[in-house]
Amino acid sequence: MESQKAEILDAAAMKRVISRIAYEILEKNKGSQDLALIGIFRRGIVLAERLKQRFFEIEGVEIPIGVLDITRYRDDLPRNAKLPEENETKIPFSVENKKIVLVDDVLYTGRTVRAAIEAIMELGRPAKIELAVMIDRGHRELPIRADYVGKNVPTAKSESIRVEFDEAGGRERVELRKD
C-alpha cells in the first residue's frame, strides 16, 4: 500500500521558519554571547548549519557548531545488542558555561533529546541547554519540550514527518506521511 503525503512546509516556508527560530534564539539569549549550536546527527546538523548562517547574517558573528551522534546513548536497544554503526561526534569547543542550543528536525517521543543531553553532559557542564526543532509532532514519552519550534504538527502514531533539505539529498520541504 502506497503512503499518502501532504506537504506541511515548502522551501519558502522553511526559510521563514529558520529565520524566526534564529531571531527567537538571539532574543531569548540577549544576543550571541557564549552561544553554541549542536546538531543531532542527520537532519539536525543541516538545520544547525542553516541557523548558524542566519546568525551570521543577522549579527555578523560566527557561532560555534558541533555534530552529535547519540547512537551509544539510545535506550531503545536491548542492553546486550550490537549497536548500529556510529557516526563521528565532532564538538570542537568546550561546552563548559556555554549556552547550548541542541538542534533536531523533528521532536517526537523525547528519547533522542534525552540521549543527546546525556552525551553533552559527559563533555562538561553548559550554562544551559535549549532545544530547537523544525517540527514538534507530539506523543512525548519523556517530560521534554522544545524551546524553539518551527511548527507544531499534531499527528497520529501511524503517521510520520519527513524533513528534507537540499544538503541531505532531498528537496526543501516538510511532509506528513500516512501509511
Side-chain angles (χ1 to χ4, degrees), residues 9 29 42 46 57 98 100 109 115 118 140 143 148 150 153 155:
L9 299 172
N29 288 285
R42 288 208 66 115
V46 178
E57 292 166 2
K98 288 273 195 230
I100 302 294
T109 63
E118 186 177 332
R140 225 63 88 237
Y148 312 100
V153 181
T155 62

Side-chain angles (χ1 to χ4, degrees), residues 8 27 33 38 48-49 53 63 140-141 145 162 179:
I8 304 293
E27 183 178 347
Q33 181 77 28
I38 297 179
E49 288 285 351
Q53 178 183 345
I63 303 289
R140 225 63 88 237
E141 294 174 2
R145 68 164 182 79
R162 174 90 171 157
D179 296 321

